[in-house]
Amino acid sequence: MIEAKDFGGLIVKPYMTTMSRHRNAGDTTVIVTTYNQPSWLWNVLLGYSVQDYRDFDVLVADDGSSTDTAATISRARSELDLSIHHLWLPDHGFR
């Protein structure tokens, strides 16, 4: 299990503990940022799931969203044929 890590005062607590690879995942990573917009995130992930080119992973960079976002990512992992990684960072506001 990956534990939370301290990067100079910035605590990174990943929701995902393993980096599983789907058969289509490749060397390209699409980075999507989000903050408390699970319905928009679902639409973005759904859009990526229907692309003709499928040789990529999706990294969701989450700026401290509520558990609704994590639930949306969990749903996408089970319903969409995507390799999705979730990086959750605590929200410290604008700096």
Side-chain angles (χ1 to χ4, degrees), residues 35-55:
Y35 177 71
N36 285 333
Q37 295 293 326
S39 61
W40 284 106
L41 178 61
W42 175 258
N43 290 337
V44 168
L45 296 174
L46 183 61
Y48 280 114
S49 75
V50 297
Q51 297 301 308
D52 291 331
Y53 179 81
R54 300 297 306 275
D55 194 23

Side-chain angles (χ1 to χ4, degrees), residues 7-84:
F7 293 96
L10 178 66
I11 307 298
V12 177
K13 177 186 166 195
Y15 276 105
M16 187 174 171
T17 58
T18 61
M19 300 294 271
S20 61
R21 308 275 290 177
H22 284 246
R23 69 189 188 308
N24 295 330
D27 293 331
T28 302
T29 301
V30 175
I31 301 172
V32 177
T33 60
T34 190
Y35 177 71
N36 285 333
Q37 295 293 326
S39 61
W40 284 106
L41 178 61
W42 175 258
N43 290 337
V44 168
L45 296 174
L46 183 61
Y48 280 114
S49 75
V50 297
Q51 297 301 308
D52 291 331
Y53 179 81
R54 300 297 306 275
D55 194 23
F56 60 87
D57 293 333
V58 177
L59 171 65
V60 178
D62 183 351
D63 190 22
S65 296
S66 68
T67 56
D68 291 343
T69 299
T72 298
I73 293 168
S74 179
R75 175 182 167 209
R77 284 181 180 143
S78 67
E79 295 181 22
L80 305 176
D81 185 26
L82 288 174
S83 176
I84 304 172

